[in-house]
Amino acid sequence: MVKGTINRRGGIRTHTELNQDQLYVTVDLLVMTIRQERLTLLLSRRTNPPYASRWALPGHFIGMEDSAEKTAENLLKEMLPVRPYLEQLYTFSALNRDPRGRVISVAYLALAPFKQLESVMARQGNTFAAFQVATDREELLLTGESGEELTETDLAFDHGKIIRTGVRRLQGKLDYTDIGFAFLENQDAFTLTELQTVHEAVMGTKFDKSNFRRQIQNRYIRSGQMKSTDMQISGGQGRPAGIYRKIRTDDSTIWS
Amino acid sequence: MVKGTINRRGGIRTHTELNQDQLYVTVDLLVMTIRQERLTLLLSRRTNPPYASRWALPGHFIGMEDSAEKTAENLLKEMLPVRPYLEQLYTFSALNRDPRGRVISVAYLALAPFKQLESVMARQGNTFAAFQVATDREELLLTGESGEELTETDLAFDHGKIIRTGVRRLQGKLDYTDIGFAFLENQDAFTLTELQTVHEAVMGTKFDKSNFRRQIQNRYIRSGQMKSTDMQISGGQGRPAGIYRKIRTDDSTIWS
DNA sequence: CCAAAAGTGTTGGTCGTACACCCATGC
DNA sequence: GCATGGGTGTACGACCAACACTTTTGG
């Protein structure tokens, strides 16, 4: 009857059945990246009920020894080589959101360059998969690599709602914060076109090259948060692009 | 040993001692208003340990029957005649934030006109008090009605940090959302000067009258979210002010 | 030379800022 | 009339959008 219990060391042992007189807290992660010029989300396929074989956000119960943020970081350590940009998104606490019992979820937004996700995809290709997120519409639409489409009702729990909240937050913060840089493979060496691709993927619209550049220069270069190096991209087609560098301004302000 | 337990009906019975193997979730409220042209916060004086006799945010444990938002609403029902603007702020989950045990807090921002707080202040004047919030500085400074000053370390738990987070959020959202209107006594009849007072109180700066008006008109009147009535304020000094009316655009989007 | 991608310049409109000025009321 | 608060007008600079144009590479 009461199989799921929290113990002080290792968190939850088994989750198939939860104590009905107790309240549980989990962390769910929206691991997002830019892949093939599209906003892309990492989902994991559930193996156990409820929602067995459905796609869900990677998550973990919060144990007695970890804060929500630490729980998120621990989960991310199993997936990514380095700690990505991480921001608390929202806490979901509707009564019926988990059929197993009373589970509250603190959702986090994690943004990383796709390069860092490749290792997980290779190792755990069975359980994890990348889905393109349609960013030009209000309703949720996810597209898998084989072309399969998921809408909000196809996902486990209330994860569709969580994803929509995350996409809105990302789009909202893109043009008044640093957040877009988190998707760049190397913040010490990137081109303005790469940065523009990030913005276009997130917003789901194309921008004018000239205007985008001026906008970025006004926002970041005039204030010293970004610098132009004297290096250039060598290999590609066309005229070589100038390489820019983001200045790490580590004000670790929790800007929720 | 284990006095504090959650039961299905009534939530927590006693809080002086919590089960050390269990995780608890509370809701804490930042009830804010504008009073005497200053941003003002409602605090409650703790009667029980820990932090007995210290000032703290009003809060309540989440029981098995209520979501976080519902818990916040229930708490607010005991304080205010009508439901105020309510928005989830952030979830605080540091391990040491409550000496009684492992308590996670979901903080909410509640904004109301001062008029609606007067009844609580009158009824429960002993436990509740209004503190002016210094909005022109990064560090926390609260000033009570008798002139007493509180800084972050004077408050119970991590409530100082919660308050700082709330003030930042309020200031950040003031000029790209509706949020300022929540402080108006009557959204169907207010003057632009009243609205300007709200903005000045929240931001801690003065604005140019002419520019503020044009800005508001561009933002809200051109888009039909606000209308000018043909009524005027009668009683006061000086030229009578035109009365405006906010159009209720009930998109209940969770814009966290 | 041509395609492709990077990068610059120009022009018109909108908006924020600073500041000077006019209007209606109470006393 | 005069103080008080409400409300308008103007002029400058910054910035955004649209669009035409130039520069440097590979093939």
Side-chain angles (χ1 to χ4, degrees), chain A residues 86-143:
Chain A
L86 184 63
E87 160 180 331
Q88 191 184 303
L89 176 60
Y90 198 79
T91 298
F92 296 84
S93 64
L95 295 184
N96 59 349
R97 59 177 300 281
D98 190 322
R100 292 170 294 183
R102 186 65 203 287
V103 181
I104 290 177
S105 169
V106 185
Y108 279 80
L109 204 55
L111 310 182
F114 179 67
K115 192 94 175 213
Q116 294 180 13
L117 283 179
E118 282 180 325
S119 51
V120 208
M121 305 292 295
R123 286 204 320 275
Q124 314 228 27
N126 308 324
T127 49
F128 287 109
F131 286 82
Q132 283 189 1
V133 183
T135 47
D136 52 352
R137 35 149 52 212
E138 181 64 23
E139 323 85 71
L140 185 62
L141 179 62
L142 303 176
T143 309

Side-chain angles (χ1 to χ4, degrees), chain B:
Chain B
M1 178 71 174
V2 182
K3 286 196 200 157
T5 53
I6 292 187
N7 80 359
R8 301 197 53 148
R9 277 285 166 75
I12 292 271
R13 289 277 181 236
T14 156
H15 311 145
T16 46
E17 234 172 286
L18 299 183
N19 188 330
Q20 297 303 305
D21 295 330
Q22 203 178 323
L23 187 150
Y24 298 83
V25 186
T26 66
V27 159
D28 285 319
L29 288 183
L30 271 97
V31 181
M32 294 184 145
T33 190
I34 307 291
R35 186 196 190 183
Q36 294 166 1
E37 313 201 346
R38 294 291 170 87
L39 183 65
T40 303
L41 175 68
L42 193 72
L43 291 181
S44 97
R45 193 188 276 280
R46 287 184 62 80
T47 50
N48 299 321
Y51 299 104
S53 86
R54 299 263 201 136
W55 292 102
L57 298 173
H60 198 273
F61 280 80
I62 297 184
M64 295 300 286
E65 323 271 85
D66 291 310
S67 66
E69 190 176 332
K70 196 83 172 77
T71 304
E73 285 171 350
N74 290 343
L75 242 173
L76 284 165
K77 268 180 205 158
E78 300 171 9
M79 300 197 260
L80 304 178
V82 297
R83 184 190 188 279
Y85 174 87
L86 184 62
E87 160 180 331
Q88 191 184 302
L89 176 61
Y90 198 79
T91 297
F92 297 83
S93 65
L95 295 184
N96 59 350
R97 60 177 298 281
D98 190 323
R100 292 170 295 183
R102 187 65 205 285
V103 181
I104 290 177
S105 170
V106 185
Y108 278 81
L109 204 55
L111 311 182
F114 180 67
K115 193 94 176 214
Q116 294 179 14
L117 283 178
E118 282 181 325
S119 51
V120 208
M121 305 292 295
R123 287 203 320 273
Q124 313 229 29
N126 308 326
T127 49
F128 288 108
F131 286 82
Q132 284 190 359
V133 183
T135 46
D136 53 352
R137 38 159 38 219
E138 182 64 22
E139 322 86 72
L140 185 62
L141 179 62
L142 302 176
T143 308
E145 296 184 66
S146 53
E148 81 227 80
E149 295 191 338
L150 301 180
T151 59
E152 185 151 351
T153 50
D154 297 320
L155 294 164
F157 306 104
D158 54 356
H159 289 186
K161 187 181 179 183
I162 297 180
I163 296 169
R164 275 195 293 111
T165 305
V167 173
R168 270 207 311 270
R169 170 87 130 252
L170 177 59
Q171 291 182 335
K173 290 186 78 164
L174 188 64
D175 60 345
Y176 71 99
T177 66
D178 271 41
I179 208 171
F181 292 95
F183 291 114
L184 295 173
E185 213 165 286
N186 182 358
Q187 295 196 29
D188 288 328
F190 58 89
T191 69
L192 291 184
T193 304
E194 283 165 13
L195 188 57
Q196 182 170 352
T197 303
V198 167
H199 280 242
E200 290 175 343
V202 169
M203 300 307 292
T205 47
K206 290 285 178 186
F207 298 111
D208 181 274
K209 199 201 326 169
S210 162
N211 296 333
F212 181 80
R213 300 180 143 259
R214 218 196 351 265
Q215 190 182 314
I216 294 295
Q217 312 233 5
N218 287 345
R219 250 211 267 294
Y220 296 107
I221 294 197
R222 299 218 190 297
S223 65
Q225 298 179 72
M226 199 176 110
K227 284 213 168 90
S228 156
T229 71
D230 45 6
M231 291 178 291
Q232 290 189 330
I233 288 288
S234 52
Q237 192 71 289
R239 176 172 170 177
I243 292 181
Y244 291 79
R245 176 167 70 88
K246 177 105 202 315
I247 308 299
R248 309 194 186 292
T249 158
D250 51 26
D251 52 357
S252 46
T253 3
I254 306 165
W255 235 122
S256 73

Side-chain angles (χ1 to χ4, degrees), chain A residues 2 15 19 45 49-50 54 68 107 130 138 140 149 164 176 185-186 194 222 229 248:
Chain A
V2 181
H15 311 144
N19 188 330
R45 193 189 276 280
R54 299 265 200 133
E138 181 64 23
L140 185 62
E149 295 192 337
R164 275 195 292 112
Y176 71 98
E185 213 165 284
N186 183 357
E194 282 166 13
R222 300 220 189 297
T229 71
R248 310 194 184 290

Side-chain angles (χ1 to χ4, degrees), chain A residues 112-226:
Chain A
F114 179 67
K115 192 94 175 213
Q116 294 180 13
L117 283 179
E118 282 180 325
S119 51
V120 208
M121 305 292 295
R123 286 204 320 275
Q124 314 228 27
N126 308 324
T127 49
F128 287 109
F131 286 82
Q132 283 189 1
V133 183
T135 47
D136 52 352
R137 35 149 52 212
E138 181 64 23
E139 323 85 71
L140 185 62
L141 179 62
L142 303 176
T143 309
E145 295 184 66
S146 53
E148 79 225 83
E149 295 192 337
L150 301 180
T151 60
E152 184 150 351
T153 51
D154 298 319
L155 294 164
F157 307 105
D158 54 356
H159 289 185
K161 187 180 178 183
I162 297 180
I163 295 168
R164 275 195 292 112
T165 305
V167 173
R168 271 208 309 270
R169 171 88 128 251
L170 177 59
Q171 291 182 334
K173 291 186 79 164
L174 187 65
D175 60 345
Y176 71 98
T177 66
D178 271 46
I179 208 170
F181 292 95
F183 290 113
L184 296 173
E185 213 165 284
N186 183 357
Q187 295 196 29
D188 287 329
F190 58 90
T191 69
L192 290 184
T193 304
E194 282 166 13
L195 188 58
Q196 183 170 352
T197 303
V198 167
H199 280 243
E200 289 175 342
V202 169
M203 299 308 290
T205 47
K206 291 284 178 187
F207 297 111
D208 181 274
K209 200 203 325 171
S210 162
N211 295 334
F212 181 81
R213 299 178 144 259
R214 218 194 353 266
Q215 189 181 314
I216 293 295
Q217 312 233 2
N218 287 345
R219 250 209 268 293
Y220 296 107
I221 295 198
R222 300 220 189 297
S223 66
Q225 298 179 70
M226 198 175 111

